[in-house]
Amino acid sequence: MGFLSTIMDLLFPPKCVFCARVLDSSDDGWCNKCTESLPFTDNGGRQDGEFYDFCVSPLYYKGTVRKSILRFKFKGAAAYASVYGKLLADCIRENADVKYDVISWVPLSGKRERSRGYDQAMLLALATALELNDVAVETLAKPYDVQAQSELGDRAERSANISGAYTVSDPELIEGKRVLLIDDVVTTGSTLAECAKVLLSAGATKVICAALARGE
Ligand SMILES: [Zn+2]
């Protein structure tokens, strides 16, 4: 460990990304208590989807997981991405028994990204790909804002809201390819379905998905 990182750890001791407890040096981004109490899914929380084959998720979106992801999304806790990436990469290795050619993510709109300073799903995909000894590339764009899916109710309402919101940024990148698409949270799956539909219509042969957390 370098001098600077030692000083930084003394000034800003690493904290558990979930419960914010100060970590022991042996902890791996989250604490022992959370290892025992986090709402982990069984068998990767695998759910079938529309247009995509399935989505795996290591965690349920509730309690400390929900609070942690909200800090990640809205309070600038971008360093969480590397811890989340490890969890997501393990989940993909253990539960997504299919091959893929391209790792990508569900993008924010340019406007929302500018106001937040970063695209959290991109950070998550980059960190996850790094853990999988791979790289993540941009395949989709979201040219304009739509109402946040979290503000809407059922699947039909969410599907209508998101319909037409995404475009393919580089068709050559996905032509004939199997895409692994990454997002932070999956609830009804309408956003993933819309993105998968757009990728398939642009020539992708298969889309599978992974999200850090899923609804129950
Ligand atoms: Zn913790």
Side-chain angles (χ1 to χ4, degrees):
M1 191 187 285
F3 175 71
L4 186 61
S5 59
T6 306
I7 296 288
M8 291 301 282
D9 280 358
L10 287 171
L11 291 174
F12 307 102
K15 290 181 180 168
C16 173
V17 302
F18 295 106
C19 72
R21 197 185 308 267
V22 173
L23 292 175
D24 294 333
S25 56
S26 59
D27 291 329
D28 202 12
W30 67 90
C31 71
N32 285 328
K33 187 157 176 284
C34 284
T35 305
E36 283 160 25
S37 64
L38 283 179
F40 286 104
T41 58
D42 292 324
N43 305 315
R46 189 162 158 150
Q47 295 171 290
D48 291 338
E50 195 184 354
F51 298 106
Y52 58 96
D53 287 22
F54 59 83
C55 182
V56 293
S57 312
L59 294 161
Y60 286 111
Y61 187 60
K62 62 179 187 180
T64 50
V65 172
R66 181 172 166 276
K67 286 184 193 149
S68 174
I69 292 175
L70 290 174
R71 288 196 300 273
F72 175 55
K73 287 171 85 155
F74 301 112
K75 297 229 164 91
Y80 286 25
S82 63
V83 173
Y84 291 169
K86 277 183 204 145
L87 280 166
L88 207 41
D90 284 344
C91 182
I92 291 163
R93 264 192 227 104
E94 287 161 20
N95 302 291
D97 50 350
V98 292
K99 299 258 185 291
Y100 49 82
D101 308 297
V102 174
I103 301 178
S104 192
W105 62 87
V106 173
L108 284 181
S109 72
K111 190 174 153 211
R112 205 159 277 168
E113 189 177 336
R114 278 194 299 279
S115 72
R116 203 177 281 177
Y118 59 94
D119 181 334
Q120 81 275 356
M122 178 189 78
L123 289 185
L124 191 55
L126 292 173
T128 305
L130 202 64
E131 291 289 330
L132 295 167
N133 296 315
D134 209 328
V135 290
V137 294
E138 182 186 278
T139 60
L140 292 165
K142 193 180 187 190
Y144 57 91
D145 260 340
V146 297
Q147 195 177 348
Q149 292 286 78
S150 55
E151 292 165 9
L152 296 168
D154 65 8
R155 191 184 167 90
E157 214 182 348
R158 288 175 177 227
S159 295
N161 179 55
I162 207 81
S163 179
Y166 296 94
T167 55
V168 167
S169 49
D170 185 354
E172 274 184 30
L173 224 54
I174 54 161
E175 175 87 56
K177 299 284 171 58
R178 298 161 297 190
V179 181
L180 167 60
L181 196 62
I182 290 179
D183 204 359
D184 48 7
V185 178
V186 56
T187 47
T188 64
S190 344
T191 301
L192 291 176
E194 178 67 20
C195 289
K197 186 174 80 176
V198 170
L199 289 168
L200 292 173
S201 64
T205 55
K206 180 195 271 289
V207 179
I208 60 168
C209 301
L212 179 65
R214 55 163 283 188
E216 285 184 273

